[in-house]
Amino acid sequence: MHVEAIGLSKAFNGFYALRDLNLRVEGAVCFGYLGPNGAGKTTTLKLFTNLLRPTSGEARINGHTVHAEHTKALRDVGVIVETPEFYPYLTAREILSFQCDLRGVPRREIDYVLERVGLYENRDLKVGKFSRGMKQRLALASALVTNPGILLLDEPTAGMDPMGMVEMRRIIADLKRENVLIFLSSHLLYEVTAICDEIAIIHHGRLLLRDTMENVERKFAGHVVLVDFADDVHEENLEDLPHVRAVEQVNTRRYRLTFRGGTDEQHALLRAMVERGLRVISYREDGLALERAYMRLIGGDERG
Amino acid sequence: MNVDDLRQMLVIAKYSFTVHVRSRRFYTLLGITGLLALATLLASWAFMDVSKTTALDLATTWVAILKFLTVLSALFFGPQAIAKEFQEKTGYFLLPTPVKREVIFMGKYIAALAVSLSVVLLYWVFAVVHMYTAFARVPPEVAMSVGLSLLYTASLLALTFFISSLFRSGTTAIAISAVLYFFVLNTVSFLLMLAGVEPWFMIDYVSGVINNVLMEPYPPHVVEQTAGGITLRLYYPRLDVSVAVMAAYIAVCLIAGALIFRRREMR
């Protein structure tokens, strides 16, 4: 299973929302598609789901051109694009039955999926009474209920409360173990870092970076660590540690240390603190590698 | 169109029909239908002398309001059917599925048609019961009139679906359809008649056959009336031409609407 963009472009009245995208995502991976608002993420998803026609190039799914043969291309694809609305007079269960019946698949997964997204209790409630977060959960249920091999998810946590966002991430993380290709569009870097194996960053309709999360974390490793101590610590006790360039006190038990070098030096710094008798209870890189990559590539040019 | 397309079309029709019959709009139209039937009943009791009236006369009275009801049903279930998918974003659920757009279009049309026909038939039930109660018989011409009214409902709804496919806003589609049906079509037909041209291609004109088949004999195609030195030609739609025109409206509007819908983007 794969999704592929070949020279894919989309212009609206001469303005290119997406320009010459070449991208292939293959196999059971979780692929994070990142970019600020207006970067072209949703446009890409809409091209992959036949909601838009390409100005040039091709969007392909499992070898089928979406625009020319979308019934074949979308057969094994579950989709969330933006925050969809549903027919207000149908219940959650009927919405999922509708999805199953359209695709000609059995309805046996409906109750399980409703339970999975936390809507089982509301299964017979008309969707017109749903909150935005509940509709987003229903959208995920609708994408999952036919057991697709490919999931195209556009900002799936949009409109959700913090609990909903955590649950959504957990569901997506579980799906990674189910041999599903997940194409996840988001501008939430923490979300992508937490669940994606590969990422792409897009800006002004152009692809700026495509790599594995592992490579991104290596290439964009930081030189700042956040250290928590069990006891109060004086700043002077930290300034002469090996490789340290700067010490910033967050509070008497938490410091932000900037150091020179890479992984070895980072490890040496920790060891030196422990050897000095400082009771370190937490030692972690400050900020996300993905955030640094994002800021370096998009930086102050970000609009959203 | 293959077997899978047909299956999907029926699925869409089934769920769209469910949405229609659970909507406030449907119950409002049922209420209006009841009120119209009641008004016709009261008017016939108040103004018709049963001893001097035939069953066909009574049927004609019922048909007088039927066209209004047909237009209402088309306005209630047609204009938003396609446009609303874009305006209210339900298209994000329905369109990214492995279903052809024309299949979606036709499924929605079948659902809207079923619910519109049920309203029109309900009105006819009231009419037939009244005729039978008053005259202990229902003239066979009524069956023809019922058939033509159903054909008219289908053709008007097809035209409304075509209009719906042109707009992204259901509200705009309703407004345009209402203005068209209540003002533009009859004005154009009237002006064409004044100019001596038979508006045989106008859907409101051909709908006259629903009433005309209840007349004995069927009125002549052209009647010339002279008043104040001016001769006016009054046209009565021919049955065969009218049926063909209504069928053509269904075919052309559905094909054109489906083609437009197929090309429409969800921006």
Side-chain angles (χ1 to χ4, degrees), chain A residues 10 12 46 50-51 53 70-71 81-82 84-87 89-90 94 97-99 101-104 107 142, chain B residues 7-8 11-12 14-15 19 22-24 85 88-90 92-95 97-99 101 263 265-267:
Chain A
K10 179 63 185 176
F12 298 104
K46 286 183 175 180
N50 199 39
L51 294 169
R53 286 190 307 279
H70 84 275
T71 54
V81 183
E82 295 199 350
E85 286 296 330
F86 299 95
Y87 304 105
Y89 296 106
L90 296 181
E94 285 170 335
S97 299
F98 192 177
Q99 186 70 262
D101 294 353
L102 269 181
R103 292 169 182 263
R107 300 174 182 175
S142 169
Chain B
R7 184 190 59 75
Q8 289 176 323
V11 168
I12 289 165
K14 175 186 147 190
Y15 285 95
V19 169
R22 286 181 188 172
S23 68
R24 273 198 294 271
E85 293 291 334
E88 298 198 354
K89 295 186 173 181
T90 45
Y92 286 128
F93 166 73
L94 188 57
L95 303 185
T97 51
V99 185
R101 292 277 183 97
R263 291 195 58 78
E265 294 186 321
M266 189 103 191
R267 293 189 178 185

CSV table of all heavy atoms in Angstrom, one decimal, chain A residues 10 12 46 50-51 53 70-71 81-82 84-87 89-90 94 97-99 101-104 107 142, chain B residues 7-8 11-12 14-15 19 22-24 85 88-90 92-95 97-99 101 263 265-267:
chain,number,residue,atom,x,y,z
A,10,LYS,N,-1.5,22.5,-7.3
A,10,LYS,CA,-2.9,23.0,-7.3
A,10,LYS,C,-2.8,24.5,-7.2
A,10,LYS,O,-2.3,25.0,-6.3
A,10,LYS,CB,-3.7,22.4,-6.2
A,10,LYS,CG,-5.1,22.9,-6.1
A,10,LYS,CD,-5.9,22.5,-7.3
A,10,LYS,CE,-7.3,23.1,-7.3
A,10,LYS,NZ,-8.1,22.8,-8.5
A,12,PHE,N,-5.2,28.1,-7.2
A,12,PHE,CA,-6.5,28.7,-7.1
A,12,PHE,C,-6.4,30.1,-7.7
A,12,PHE,O,-5.8,30.9,-7.1
A,12,PHE,CB,-7.0,28.8,-5.7
A,12,PHE,CG,-7.2,27.4,-5.0
A,12,PHE,CD1,-6.2,27.0,-4.1
A,12,PHE,CD2,-8.2,26.6,-5.3
A,12,PHE,CE1,-6.3,25.7,-3.5
A,12,PHE,CE2,-8.4,25.4,-4.7
A,12,PHE,CZ,-7.4,24.9,-3.8
A,46,LYS,N,-6.9,17.0,0.2
A,46,LYS,CA,-8.1,17.1,-0.7
A,46,LYS,C,-7.8,16.5,-2.1
A,46,LYS,O,-8.7,16.0,-2.8
A,46,LYS,CB,-8.6,18.5,-0.8
A,46,LYS,CG,-9.3,19.0,0.5
A,46,LYS,CD,-9.8,20.4,0.3
A,46,LYS,CE,-10.6,20.9,1.5
A,46,LYS,NZ,-11.1,22.2,1.4
A,50,ASN,N,-9.9,13.3,-3.8
A,50,ASN,CA,-10.8,13.7,-5.0
A,50,ASN,C,-11.7,14.8,-4.6
A,50,ASN,O,-12.8,15.0,-5.3
A,50,ASN,CB,-11.6,12.5,-5.5
A,50,ASN,CG,-12.1,12.7,-6.9
A,50,ASN,OD1,-11.5,13.3,-7.7
A,50,ASN,ND2,-13.4,12.3,-7.1
A,51,LEU,N,-11.4,15.6,-3.6
A,51,LEU,CA,-12.2,16.8,-3.3
A,51,LEU,C,-11.8,18.0,-4.2
A,51,LEU,O,-12.5,18.9,-4.4
A,51,LEU,CB,-12.1,17.1,-1.8
A,51,LEU,CG,-12.8,16.1,-0.9
A,51,LEU,CD1,-12.4,16.4,0.6
A,51,LEU,CD2,-14.3,16.0,-1.1
A,53,ARG,N,-9.4,18.9,-7.9
A,53,ARG,CA,-8.7,18.4,-9.1
A,53,ARG,C,-7.3,19.0,-9.2
A,53,ARG,O,-7.2,20.2,-9.0
A,53,ARG,CB,-9.5,18.7,-10.4
A,53,ARG,CG,-10.8,17.9,-10.5
A,53,ARG,CD,-11.3,18.2,-12.0
A,53,ARG,NE,-11.5,19.6,-12.2
A,53,ARG,CZ,-12.5,20.3,-11.8
A,53,ARG,NH1,-13.4,19.8,-11.1
A,53,ARG,NH2,-12.6,21.6,-12.1
A,70,HIS,N,-11.1,7.4,-9.0
A,70,HIS,CA,-11.2,7.5,-7.5
A,70,HIS,C,-11.9,6.4,-6.8
A,70,HIS,O,-11.7,6.1,-5.7
A,70,HIS,CB,-11.8,8.9,-7.2
A,70,HIS,CG,-13.3,9.0,-7.1
A,70,HIS,ND1,-14.0,9.2,-8.3
A,70,HIS,CD2,-14.2,8.8,-6.1
A,70,HIS,CE1,-15.3,9.2,-7.9
A,70,HIS,NE2,-15.4,8.9,-6.7
A,71,THR,N,-12.8,5.7,-7.5
A,71,THR,CA,-13.5,4.6,-6.8
A,71,THR,C,-12.5,3.5,-6.5
A,71,THR,O,-12.7,2.8,-5.5
A,71,THR,CB,-14.7,4.1,-7.7
A,71,THR,OG1,-14.2,3.8,-9.0
A,71,THR,CG2,-15.8,5.1,-7.8
A,81,VAL,N,-11.1,14.8,6.6
A,81,VAL,CA,-10.6,16.1,6.0
A,81,VAL,C,-11.3,17.2,6.7
A,81,VAL,O,-12.6,17.2,6.8
A,81,VAL,CB,-10.9,16.2,4.5
A,81,VAL,CG1,-10.3,17.5,3.9
A,81,VAL,CG2,-10.3,15.0,3.8
A,82,GLU,N,-10.5,18.2,7.2
A,82,GLU,CA,-11.1,19.3,8.0
A,82,GLU,C,-11.9,18.7,9.1
A,82,GLU,O,-11.7,17.5,9.6
A,82,GLU,CB,-11.8,20.3,7.2
A,82,GLU,CG,-10.9,21.0,6.2
A,82,GLU,CD,-11.4,22.3,5.6
A,82,GLU,OE1,-12.6,22.6,5.8
A,82,GLU,OE2,-10.6,23.0,5.0
A,84,PRO,N,-15.4,17.4,9.5
A,84,PRO,CA,-16.6,17.1,8.7
A,84,PRO,C,-17.8,17.3,9.5
A,84,PRO,O,-17.8,17.2,10.7
A,84,PRO,CB,-16.4,15.7,8.2
A,84,PRO,CG,-15.5,15.1,9.2
A,84,PRO,CD,-14.6,16.2,9.8
A,85,GLU,N,-18.9,17.7,8.8
A,85,GLU,CA,-20.2,17.7,9.4
A,85,GLU,C,-20.9,16.4,8.9
A,85,GLU,O,-20.6,15.8,7.9
A,85,GLU,CB,-21.0,18.9,8.9
A,85,GLU,CG,-20.5,20.2,9.6
A,85,GLU,CD,-20.7,20.3,11.1
A,85,GLU,OE1,-21.7,19.6,11.5
A,85,GLU,OE2,-19.9,20.9,11.8
A,86,PHE,N,-21.9,16.0,9.7
A,86,PHE,CA,-22.7,14.8,9.4
A,86,PHE,C,-24.2,15.2,9.3
A,86,PHE,O,-24.6,16.3,9.8
A,86,PHE,CB,-22.5,13.8,10.5
A,86,PHE,CG,-21.0,13.4,10.6
A,86,PHE,CD1,-20.2,13.9,11.5
A,86,PHE,CD2,-20.5,12.4,9.7
A,86,PHE,CE1,-18.9,13.6,11.6
A,86,PHE,CE2,-19.1,12.1,9.8
A,86,PHE,CZ,-18.3,12.6,10.8
A,87,TYR,N,-24.9,14.3,8.7
A,87,TYR,CA,-26.4,14.6,8.6
A,87,TYR,C,-27.0,14.6,10.0
A,87,TYR,O,-27.0,13.6,10.7
A,87,TYR,CB,-27.0,13.6,7.7
A,87,TYR,CG,-26.3,13.5,6.3
A,87,TYR,CD1,-25.4,12.5,6.0
A,87,TYR,CD2,-26.4,14.6,5.4
A,87,TYR,CE1,-24.7,12.5,4.8
A,87,TYR,CE2,-25.8,14.6,4.2
A,87,TYR,CZ,-24.9,13.6,3.9
A,87,TYR,OH,-24.2,13.6,2.8
A,89,TYR,N,-29.8,14.5,11.3
A,89,TYR,CA,-31.0,13.6,11.7
A,89,TYR,C,-30.6,12.1,11.8
A,89,TYR,O,-31.4,11.3,12.1
A,89,TYR,CB,-32.1,13.8,10.8
A,89,TYR,CG,-32.7,15.2,10.9
A,89,TYR,CD1,-32.5,16.1,9.8
A,89,TYR,CD2,-33.4,15.7,12.0
A,89,TYR,CE1,-33.0,17.4,9.9
A,89,TYR,CE2,-33.9,17.0,12.0
A,89,TYR,CZ,-33.7,17.8,11.0
A,89,TYR,OH,-34.2,19.1,11.1
A,90,LEU,N,-29.3,11.8,11.5
A,90,LEU,CA,-28.9,10.4,11.7
A,90,LEU,C,-28.1,10.3,13.0
A,90,LEU,O,-27.5,11.2,13.5
A,90,LEU,CB,-28.0,10.0,10.5
A,90,LEU,CG,-28.6,10.0,9.1
A,90,LEU,CD1,-27.5,9.6,8.1
A,90,LEU,CD2,-29.8,9.1,9.0
A,94,GLU,N,-25.9,5.1,12.8
A,94,GLU,CA,-26.4,5.2,11.4
A,94,GLU,C,-25.4,5.8,10.5
A,94,GLU,O,-25.2,5.3,9.3
A,94,GLU,CB,-27.7,6.0,11.3
A,94,GLU,CG,-28.9,5.2,11.9
A,94,GLU,CD,-30.1,6.1,12.1
A,94,GLU,OE1,-30.0,7.3,12.2
A,94,GLU,OE2,-31.2,5.5,12.1
A,97,SER,N,-23.1,3.0,9.8
A,97,SER,CA,-23.7,2.0,8.9
A,97,SER,C,-23.7,2.5,7.5
A,97,SER,O,-23.5,1.8,6.5
A,97,SER,CB,-25.2,1.8,9.3
A,97,SER,OG,-25.3,1.3,10.6
A,98,PHE,N,-24.0,3.8,7.3
A,98,PHE,CA,-24.0,4.5,6.0
A,98,PHE,C,-22.6,4.3,5.3
A,98,PHE,O,-22.5,3.8,4.2
A,98,PHE,CB,-24.3,6.0,6.2
A,98,PHE,CG,-24.6,6.8,5.0
A,98,PHE,CD1,-24.9,8.1,5.1
A,98,PHE,CD2,-24.6,6.2,3.7
A,98,PHE,CE1,-25.2,8.9,4.0
A,98,PHE,CE2,-24.9,7.0,2.6
A,98,PHE,CZ,-25.2,8.3,2.7
A,99,GLN,N,-21.6,4.5,6.1
A,99,GLN,CA,-20.2,4.4,5.6
A,99,GLN,C,-19.9,2.9,5.2
A,99,GLN,O,-19.4,2.6,4.1
A,99,GLN,CB,-19.2,4.8,6.6
A,99,GLN,CG,-17.7,4.8,6.2
A,99,GLN,CD,-17.5,5.9,5.2
A,99,GLN,OE1,-17.4,5.7,4.0
A,99,GLN,NE2,-17.2,7.2,5.7
A,101,ASP,N,-22.2,0.5,4.5
A,101,ASP,CA,-23.1,0.1,3.3
A,101,ASP,C,-22.6,0.7,2.0
A,101,ASP,O,-22.6,0.0,1.0
A,101,ASP,CB,-24.5,0.6,3.6
A,101,ASP,CG,-25.2,-0.1,4.8
A,101,ASP,OD1,-24.5,-1.0,5.3
A,101,ASP,OD2,-26.3,0.3,5.2
A,102,LEU,N,-22.1,2.0,2.1
A,102,LEU,CA,-21.6,2.6,0.8
A,102,LEU,C,-20.4,1.8,0.3
A,102,LEU,O,-20.3,1.6,-0.9
A,102,LEU,CB,-21.0,4.0,1.1
A,102,LEU,CG,-22.0,5.1,1.0
A,102,LEU,CD1,-21.3,6.4,1.3
A,102,LEU,CD2,-22.6,5.2,-0.4
A,103,ARG,N,-19.5,1.3,1.2
A,103,ARG,CA,-18.3,0.5,0.8
A,103,ARG,C,-18.6,-1.0,0.6
A,103,ARG,O,-17.7,-1.7,0.3
A,103,ARG,CB,-17.2,0.8,1.7
A,103,ARG,CG,-16.7,2.3,1.7
A,103,ARG,CD,-15.8,2.6,2.8
A,103,ARG,NE,-15.3,4.0,2.8
A,103,ARG,CZ,-14.2,4.4,2.3
A,103,ARG,NH1,-13.4,3.5,1.7
A,103,ARG,NH2,-13.9,5.6,2.3
A,104,GLY,N,-19.8,-1.3,1.0
A,104,GLY,CA,-20.1,-2.8,0.9
A,104,GLY,C,-19.4,-3.7,1.8
A,104,GLY,O,-19.1,-4.8,1.5
A,107,ARG,N,-21.2,-4.6,8.8
A,107,ARG,CA,-21.3,-3.5,9.9
A,107,ARG,C,-20.8,-4.0,11.2
A,107,ARG,O,-21.0,-3.4,12.2
A,107,ARG,CB,-22.8,-3.2,10.1
A,107,ARG,CG,-23.4,-2.6,8.8
A,107,ARG,CD,-24.9,-2.4,9.1
A,107,ARG,NE,-25.6,-1.9,8.0
A,107,ARG,CZ,-26.9,-1.8,8.0
A,107,ARG,NH1,-27.6,-2.1,9.1
A,107,ARG,NH2,-27.6,-1.3,7.0
A,142,SER,N,-15.7,7.0,11.6
A,142,SER,CA,-16.1,6.8,10.2
A,142,SER,C,-14.9,6.4,9.3
A,142,SER,O,-15.0,5.6,8.4
A,142,SER,CB,-16.7,8.1,9.7
A,142,SER,OG,-16.9,8.0,8.3
B,7,ARG,N,-26.1,-0.4,-6.4
B,7,ARG,CA,-26.2,-0.7,-4.9
B,7,ARG,C,-25.9,0.6,-4.1
B,7,ARG,O,-26.6,0.9,-3.2
B,7,ARG,CB,-25.2,-1.8,-4.6
B,7,ARG,CG,-25.3,-2.3,-3.1
B,7,ARG,CD,-24.1,-3.2,-2.8
B,7,ARG,NE,-22.8,-2.5,-3.0
B,7,ARG,CZ,-22.3,-1.6,-2.1
B,7,ARG,NH1,-23.0,-1.3,-1.1
B,7,ARG,NH2,-21.1,-1.1,-2.4
B,8,GLN,N,-24.8,1.3,-4.5
B,8,GLN,CA,-24.4,2.5,-3.8
B,8,GLN,C,-25.5,3.6,-3.9
B,8,GLN,O,-25.8,4.3,-2.9
B,8,GLN,CB,-23.1,3.0,-4.3
B,8,GLN,CG,-21.9,2.1,-3.9
B,8,GLN,CD,-20.6,2.6,-4.5
B,8,GLN,OE1,-20.6,3.1,-5.6
B,8,GLN,NE2,-19.5,2.5,-3.7
B,11,VAL,N,-28.2,2.8,-1.5
B,11,VAL,CA,-27.7,3.1,-0.1
B,11,VAL,C,-27.9,4.6,0.1
B,11,VAL,O,-28.4,5.0,1.2
B,11,VAL,CB,-26.3,2.7,0.1
B,11,VAL,CG1,-25.7,3.2,1.4
B,11,VAL,CG2,-26.2,1.1,0.1
B,12,ILE,N,-27.4,5.4,-0.8
B,12,ILE,CA,-27.5,6.9,-0.6
B,12,ILE,C,-29.0,7.3,-0.6
B,12,ILE,O,-29.4,8.1,0.3
B,12,ILE,CB,-26.7,7.6,-1.7
B,12,ILE,CG1,-25.2,7.4,-1.5
B,12,ILE,CG2,-27.1,9.1,-1.7
B,12,ILE,CD1,-24.4,7.7,-2.7
B,14,LYS,N,-31.5,5.5,0.4
B,14,LYS,CA,-32.1,5.1,1.7
B,14,LYS,C,-31.8,6.0,2.8
B,14,LYS,O,-32.7,6.5,3.6
B,14,LYS,CB,-31.6,3.7,2.0
B,14,LYS,CG,-32.0,3.1,3.3
B,14,LYS,CD,-31.3,1.8,3.6
B,14,LYS,CE,-31.1,1.6,5.1
B,14,LYS,NZ,-30.2,0.5,5.4
B,15,TYR,N,-30.5,6.3,3.0
B,15,TYR,CA,-30.1,7.2,4.1
B,15,TYR,C,-30.6,8.6,3.9
B,15,TYR,O,-31.0,9.3,4.9
B,15,TYR,CB,-28.6,7.1,4.3
B,15,TYR,CG,-28.2,5.9,5.0
B,15,TYR,CD1,-27.7,4.8,4.3
B,15,TYR,CD2,-28.3,5.7,6.4
B,15,TYR,CE1,-27.4,3.6,4.8
B,15,TYR,CE2,-27.9,4.5,7.0
B,15,TYR,CZ,-27.5,3.4,6.2
B,15,TYR,OH,-27.1,2.3,6.8
B,19,VAL,N,-33.0,10.9,6.3
B,19,VAL,CA,-32.8,12.2,6.7
B,19,VAL,C,-34.0,13.1,6.4
B,19,VAL,O,-34.4,13.9,7.3
B,19,VAL,CB,-31.5,12.8,6.0
B,19,VAL,CG1,-31.3,14.3,6.2
B,19,VAL,CG2,-30.3,12.0,6.5
B,22,ARG,N,-37.1,12.6,8.7
B,22,ARG,CA,-36.9,12.9,10.1
B,22,ARG,C,-36.8,14.5,10.3
B,22,ARG,O,-36.7,15.0,11.4
B,22,ARG,CB,-35.6,12.3,10.7
B,22,ARG,CG,-35.8,10.8,10.9
B,22,ARG,CD,-34.5,10.3,11.5
B,22,ARG,NE,-34.5,8.8,11.6
B,22,ARG,CZ,-33.5,8.1,11.9
B,22,ARG,NH1,-32.3,8.7,12.2
B,22,ARG,NH2,-33.6,6.8,12.0
B,23,SER,N,-36.7,15.2,9.1
B,23,SER,CA,-36.5,16.6,9.2
B,23,SER,C,-37.7,17.4,9.5
B,23,SER,O,-38.8,16.9,9.2
B,23,SER,CB,-35.9,17.1,7.9
B,23,SER,OG,-36.9,17.0,6.9
B,24,ARG,N,-37.5,18.5,10.1
B,24,ARG,CA,-38.6,19.4,10.5
B,24,ARG,C,-39.3,19.9,9.2
B,24,ARG,O,-40.5,20.0,9.1
B,24,ARG,CB,-38.1,20.7,11.2
B,24,ARG,CG,-38.0,20.5,12.7
B,24,ARG,CD,-37.9,21.8,13.4
B,24,ARG,NE,-36.7,22.5,13.1
B,24,ARG,CZ,-35.6,22.4,13.8
B,24,ARG,NH1,-35.6,21.6,14.8
B,24,ARG,NH2,-34.5,23.1,13.4
B,85,GLU,N,-24.2,20.1,0.6
B,85,GLU,CA,-23.0,19.3,0.9
B,85,GLU,C,-21.7,20.2,0.9
B,85,GLU,O,-20.8,19.8,1.6
B,85,GLU,CB,-22.8,18.3,-0.3
B,85,GLU,CG,-23.9,17.2,-0.4
B,85,GLU,CD,-23.8,16.2,0.8
B,85,GLU,OE1,-22.7,16.0,1.3
B,85,GLU,OE2,-24.8,15.6,1.1
B,88,GLU,N,-22.6,23.1,4.2
B,88,GLU,CA,-22.5,22.7,5.5
B,88,GLU,C,-21.5,21.6,5.8
B,88,GLU,O,-21.4,20.9,6.8
B,88,GLU,CB,-23.9,22.1,5.9
B,88,GLU,CG,-24.9,23.3,5.9
B,88,GLU,CD,-26.2,23.0,6.6
B,88,GLU,OE1,-26.4,21.9,7.2
B,88,GLU,OE2,-27.0,24.0,6.7
B,89,LYS,N,-20.6,21.4,4.8
B,89,LYS,CA,-19.5,20.5,4.9
B,89,LYS,C,-19.8,19.0,5.1
B,89,LYS,O,-18.9,18.3,5.5
B,89,LYS,CB,-18.6,21.0,6.0
B,89,LYS,CG,-17.9,22.3,5.8
B,89,LYS,CD,-17.0,22.6,6.9
B,89,LYS,CE,-16.2,23.9,6.6
B,89,LYS,NZ,-15.3,24.2,7.7
B,90,THR,N,-21.0,18.6,4.9
B,90,THR,CA,-21.3,17.2,4.9
B,90,THR,C,-20.6,16.5,3.8
B,90,THR,O,-20.4,15.3,3.8
B,90,THR,CB,-22.8,16.9,4.8
B,90,THR,OG1,-23.4,17.7,3.8
B,90,THR,CG2,-23.5,17.3,6.1
B,92,TYR,N,-17.6,16.6,3.2
B,92,TYR,CA,-16.3,16.0,3.7
B,92,TYR,C,-16.6,14.6,4.2
B,92,TYR,O,-15.6,13.8,4.3
B,92,TYR,CB,-15.7,16.8,4.8
B,92,TYR,CG,-15.1,18.1,4.3
B,92,TYR,CD1,-15.5,19.3,4.9
B,92,TYR,CD2,-14.2,18.1,3.3
B,92,TYR,CE1,-14.9,20.5,4.4
B,92,TYR,CE2,-13.6,19.2,2.8
B,92,TYR,CZ,-13.9,20.4,3.4
B,92,TYR,OH,-13.4,21.6,2.9
B,93,PHE,N,-17.8,14.2,4.5
B,93,PHE,CA,-18.1,12.8,4.9
B,93,PHE,C,-18.4,12.0,3.6
B,93,PHE,O,-17.9,10.9,3.5
B,93,PHE,CB,-19.3,12.8,5.8
B,93,PHE,CG,-19.9,11.5,6.0
B,93,PHE,CD1,-19.3,10.5,6.7
B,93,PHE,CD2,-21.1,11.1,5.4
B,93,PHE,CE1,-19.8,9.2,6.9
B,93,PHE,CE2,-21.7,9.9,5.6
B,93,PHE,CZ,-21.0,8.9,6.3
B,94,LEU,N,-19.2,12.5,2.7
B,94,LEU,CA,-19.8,11.7,1.6
B,94,LEU,C,-18.9,11.7,0.4
B,94,LEU,O,-18.8,10.7,-0.3
B,94,LEU,CB,-21.2,12.3,1.2
B,94,LEU,CG,-22.0,11.5,0.3
B,94,LEU,CD1,-22.2,10.1,0.8
B,94,LEU,CD2,-23.3,12.2,0.0
B,95,LEU,N,-18.2,12.8,0.1
B,95,LEU,CA,-17.5,12.8,-1.2
B,95,LEU,C,-16.2,12.0,-1.2
B,95,LEU,O,-15.9,11.5,-2.3
B,95,LEU,CB,-17.3,14.3,-1.6
B,95,LEU,CG,-18.6,15.1,-1.8
B,95,LEU,CD1,-18.2,16.5,-2.3
B,95,LEU,CD2,-19.6,14.4,-2.6
B,97,THR,N,-15.3,9.2,-0.7
B,97,THR,CA,-15.7,7.8,-0.6
B,97,THR,C,-15.5,7.2,-2.0
B,97,THR,O,-15.6,7.9,-3.0
B,97,THR,CB,-17.1,7.6,-0.1
B,97,THR,OG1,-18.0,8.4,-0.9
B,97,THR,CG2,-17.3,7.9,1.3
B,98,PRO,N,-15.4,5.9,-2.1
B,98,PRO,CA,-15.3,5.3,-3.5
B,98,PRO,C,-16.6,5.2,-4.2
B,98,PRO,O,-17.1,4.1,-4.6
B,98,PRO,CB,-14.7,3.9,-3.2
B,98,PRO,CG,-15.1,3.6,-1.8
B,98,PRO,CD,-15.2,4.9,-1.1
B,99,VAL,N,-17.3,6.3,-4.3
B,99,VAL,CA,-18.6,6.4,-5.0
B,99,VAL,C,-18.5,7.5,-6.0
B,99,VAL,O,-18.0,8.6,-5.8
B,99,VAL,CB,-19.7,6.8,-3.9
B,99,VAL,CG1,-21.0,6.7,-4.6
B,99,VAL,CG2,-19.6,5.8,-2.7
B,101,ARG,N,-19.6,10.5,-8.3
B,101,ARG,CA,-20.4,11.7,-8.0
B,101,ARG,C,-21.8,11.6,-8.6
B,101,ARG,O,-22.8,11.9,-7.9
B,101,ARG,CB,-19.8,13.0,-8.5
B,101,ARG,CG,-18.5,13.3,-7.8
B,101,ARG,CD,-18.7,14.1,-6.5
B,101,ARG,NE,-17.5,14.5,-5.9
B,101,ARG,CZ,-17.0,15.7,-6.0
B,101,ARG,NH1,-17.6,16.6,-6.8
B,101,ARG,NH2,-15.8,16.0,-5.4
B,263,ARG,N,-17.8,17.7,-11.5
B,263,ARG,CA,-16.6,18.6,-11.6
B,263,ARG,C,-16.5,19.6,-10.5
B,263,ARG,O,-15.5,20.3,-10.4
B,263,ARG,CB,-16.8,19.4,-12.9
B,263,ARG,CG,-16.7,18.6,-14.2
B,263,ARG,CD,-16.4,19.4,-15.4
B,263,ARG,NE,-15.3,20.3,-15.3
B,263,ARG,CZ,-14.0,19.9,-15.5
B,263,ARG,NH1,-13.8,18.6,-15.7
B,263,ARG,NH2,-13.0,20.8,-15.4
B,265,GLU,N,-15.6,21.2,-7.1
B,265,GLU,CA,-14.5,21.0,-6.1
B,265,GLU,C,-15.0,21.4,-4.7
B,265,GLU,O,-15.8,22.3,-4.6
B,265,GLU,CB,-13.3,21.8,-6.4
B,265,GLU,CG,-12.6,21.4,-7.7
B,265,GLU,CD,-11.3,22.1,-8.0
B,265,GLU,OE1,-11.2,23.3,-7.7
B,265,GLU,OE2,-10.3,21.4,-8.4
B,266,MET,N,-14.5,20.8,-3.7
B,266,MET,CA,-14.8,21.1,-2.3
B,266,MET,C,-13.6,22.0,-1.8
B,266,MET,O,-12.7,21.4,-1.2
B,266,MET,CB,-14.9,19.8,-1.5
B,266,MET,CG,-15.4,19.9,-0.2
B,266,MET,SD,-17.1,19.5,-0.1
B,266,MET,CE,-17.5,20.1,1.6
B,267,ARG,N,-13.7,23.2,-2.0
B,267,ARG,CA,-12.6,24.1,-1.6
B,267,ARG,C,-12.7,24.6,-0.2
B,267,ARG,O,-13.7,24.6,0.4
B,267,ARG,CB,-12.6,25.4,-2.5
B,267,ARG,CG,-12.3,25.0,-3.9
B,267,ARG,CD,-12.1,26.2,-4.8
B,267,ARG,NE,-11.7,25.9,-6.1
B,267,ARG,CZ,-11.4,26.7,-7.1
B,267,ARG,NH1,-11.4,28.0,-6.8
B,267,ARG,NH2,-11.1,26.3,-8.3
